[in-house]
CSV table of all heavy atoms in Angstrom, one decimal:
chain,number,residue,atom,x,y,z
A,79,ALA,N,3.0,-17.3,-26.7
A,79,ALA,CA,3.2,-16.4,-27.8
A,79,ALA,C,4.3,-15.4,-27.3
A,79,ALA,O,4.6,-15.3,-26.2
A,79,ALA,CB,1.9,-15.6,-28.0
A,80,ALA,N,4.9,-14.8,-28.3
A,80,ALA,CA,6.0,-13.8,-28.0
A,80,ALA,C,6.2,-12.8,-29.1
A,80,ALA,O,5.8,-13.1,-30.2
A,80,ALA,CB,7.4,-14.6,-27.8
A,81,VAL,N,6.7,-11.7,-28.7
A,81,VAL,CA,7.2,-10.7,-29.7
A,81,VAL,C,8.7,-10.5,-29.5
A,81,VAL,O,9.1,-10.6,-28.4
A,81,VAL,CB,6.4,-9.3,-29.6
A,81,VAL,CG1,5.0,-9.6,-30.1
A,81,VAL,CG2,6.4,-8.8,-28.1
A,241,ILE,N,5.2,-13.0,-19.1
A,241,ILE,CA,3.9,-12.8,-18.5
A,241,ILE,C,3.2,-14.2,-18.4
A,241,ILE,O,3.2,-14.9,-19.4
A,241,ILE,CB,3.0,-11.8,-19.3
A,241,ILE,CG1,3.8,-10.4,-19.3
A,241,ILE,CG2,1.7,-11.7,-18.7
A,241,ILE,CD1,3.0,-9.4,-20.1
A,251,ALA,N,-5.3,-16.3,-30.5
A,251,ALA,CA,-5.8,-15.1,-29.8
A,251,ALA,C,-4.8,-14.5,-28.9
A,251,ALA,O,-4.6,-13.3,-28.8
A,251,ALA,CB,-7.1,-15.5,-29.0
A,252,LEU,N,-4.0,-15.4,-28.3
A,252,LEU,CA,-2.9,-14.9,-27.4
A,252,LEU,C,-1.9,-14.1,-28.1
A,252,LEU,O,-1.4,-13.1,-27.6
A,252,LEU,CB,-2.3,-16.1,-26.7
A,252,LEU,CG,-1.4,-15.8,-25.5
A,252,LEU,CD1,-2.1,-15.3,-24.4
A,252,LEU,CD2,-0.6,-17.2,-25.1
A,253,SER,N,-1.6,-14.5,-29.3
A,253,SER,CA,-0.6,-13.8,-30.1
A,253,SER,C,-1.1,-12.4,-30.5
A,253,SER,O,-0.3,-11.4,-30.4
A,253,SER,CB,-0.3,-14.6,-31.4
A,253,SER,OG,0.7,-13.9,-32.2
A,254,THR,N,-2.3,-12.3,-30.9
A,254,THR,CA,-2.8,-10.9,-31.3
A,254,THR,C,-3.0,-10.1,-30.0
A,254,THR,O,-2.8,-8.8,-30.1
A,254,THR,CB,-4.1,-11.1,-32.0
A,254,THR,OG1,-5.1,-11.7,-31.2
A,254,THR,CG2,-4.0,-11.7,-33.3
A,255,LEU,N,-3.4,-10.7,-28.9
A,255,LEU,CA,-3.5,-9.9,-27.6
A,255,LEU,C,-2.1,-9.3,-27.2
A,255,LEU,O,-2.1,-8.1,-26.9
A,255,LEU,CB,-4.1,-10.8,-26.6
A,255,LEU,CG,-5.6,-11.1,-26.6
A,255,LEU,CD1,-5.9,-12.3,-25.7
A,255,LEU,CD2,-6.4,-9.9,-26.2
A,256,LEU,N,-1.1,-10.2,-27.3
A,256,LEU,CA,0.2,-9.7,-26.9
A,256,LEU,C,0.7,-8.6,-27.8
A,256,LEU,O,1.4,-7.6,-27.4
A,256,LEU,CB,1.1,-10.9,-26.8
A,256,LEU,CG,2.6,-10.6,-26.4
A,256,LEU,CD1,2.5,-10.1,-24.9
A,256,LEU,CD2,3.5,-11.7,-26.5
A,257,THR,N,0.6,-8.8,-29.1
A,257,THR,CA,1.1,-7.8,-30.1
A,257,THR,C,0.5,-6.5,-29.8
A,257,THR,O,1.2,-5.5,-29.9
A,257,THR,CB,0.9,-8.3,-31.5
A,257,THR,OG1,1.5,-9.6,-31.7
A,257,THR,CG2,1.4,-7.3,-32.5
A,258,SER,N,-0.8,-6.5,-29.7
A,258,SER,CA,-1.5,-5.2,-29.4
A,258,SER,C,-1.0,-4.5,-28.1
A,258,SER,O,-0.8,-3.3,-28.0
A,258,SER,CB,-3.0,-5.4,-29.4
A,258,SER,OG,-3.7,-4.2,-29.2
A,259,ALA,N,-0.9,-5.4,-27.1
A,259,ALA,CA,-0.5,-4.8,-25.7
A,259,ALA,C,0.9,-4.3,-25.8
A,259,ALA,O,1.3,-3.3,-25.2
A,259,ALA,CB,-0.6,-5.9,-24.7
A,260,ALA,N,1.8,-5.0,-26.5
A,260,ALA,CA,3.2,-4.6,-26.6
A,260,ALA,C,3.4,-3.3,-27.3
A,260,ALA,O,4.2,-2.5,-27.0
A,260,ALA,CB,4.0,-5.7,-27.3
A,261,ASP,N,2.5,-3.0,-28.3
A,261,ASP,CA,2.6,-1.8,-29.0
A,261,ASP,C,2.4,-0.5,-28.2
A,261,ASP,O,3.1,0.5,-28.4
A,261,ASP,CB,1.6,-1.8,-30.2
A,261,ASP,CG,1.7,-0.5,-31.1
A,261,ASP,OD1,2.8,-0.3,-31.6
A,261,ASP,OD2,0.7,0.2,-31.2
A,279,LEU,N,9.5,-10.5,-25.4
A,279,LEU,CA,8.4,-10.5,-24.5
A,279,LEU,C,7.5,-11.7,-24.7
A,279,LEU,O,7.0,-11.9,-25.9
A,279,LEU,CB,7.6,-9.2,-24.7
A,279,LEU,CG,6.3,-9.1,-23.8
A,279,LEU,CD1,6.6,-9.1,-22.4
A,279,LEU,CD2,5.5,-7.9,-24.3
A,280,ALA,N,7.4,-12.6,-23.8
A,280,ALA,CA,6.6,-13.9,-24.0
A,280,ALA,C,5.5,-13.9,-23.0
A,280,ALA,O,5.5,-13.4,-21.9
A,280,ALA,CB,7.6,-15.0,-23.8
A,281,ILE,N,4.4,-14.6,-23.4
A,281,ILE,CA,3.3,-14.8,-22.5
A,281,ILE,C,2.8,-16.2,-22.6
A,281,ILE,O,2.9,-16.9,-23.7
A,281,ILE,CB,2.1,-13.9,-22.9
A,281,ILE,CG1,0.9,-14.0,-21.9
A,281,ILE,CG2,1.6,-14.1,-24.3
A,281,ILE,CD1,-0.1,-13.0,-22.1
A,304,GLN,N,-8.0,-7.9,-23.5
A,304,GLN,CA,-7.1,-6.9,-24.2
A,304,GLN,C,-6.8,-5.7,-23.3
A,304,GLN,O,-5.6,-5.3,-23.2
A,304,GLN,CB,-7.7,-6.5,-25.5
A,304,GLN,CG,-6.8,-5.6,-26.3
A,304,GLN,CD,-5.5,-6.3,-26.8
A,304,GLN,OE1,-5.6,-7.0,-27.9
A,304,GLN,NE2,-4.4,-6.2,-26.1
A,307,LEU,N,-4.6,-6.9,-20.2
A,307,LEU,CA,-3.2,-7.2,-20.6
A,307,LEU,C,-2.5,-5.9,-21.0
A,307,LEU,O,-1.3,-5.8,-20.6
A,307,LEU,CB,-3.3,-8.2,-21.7
A,307,LEU,CG,-1.8,-8.7,-22.2
A,307,LEU,CD1,-1.1,-9.3,-21.0
A,307,LEU,CD2,-1.9,-9.6,-23.4
A,311,SER,N,0.7,-4.6,-19.0
A,311,SER,CA,2.0,-4.5,-19.8
A,311,SER,C,2.5,-3.1,-19.6
A,311,SER,O,3.7,-2.8,-19.5
A,311,SER,CB,1.8,-4.9,-21.2
A,311,SER,OG,1.4,-6.2,-21.4
Side-chain angles (χ1 to χ4, degrees):
V81 290
I241 299 175
L252 193 64
S253 180
T254 57
L255 285 165
L256 182 65
T257 299
S258 179
D261 184 57
L279 173 65
I281 185 170
Q304 183 68 85
L307 181 60
S311 299

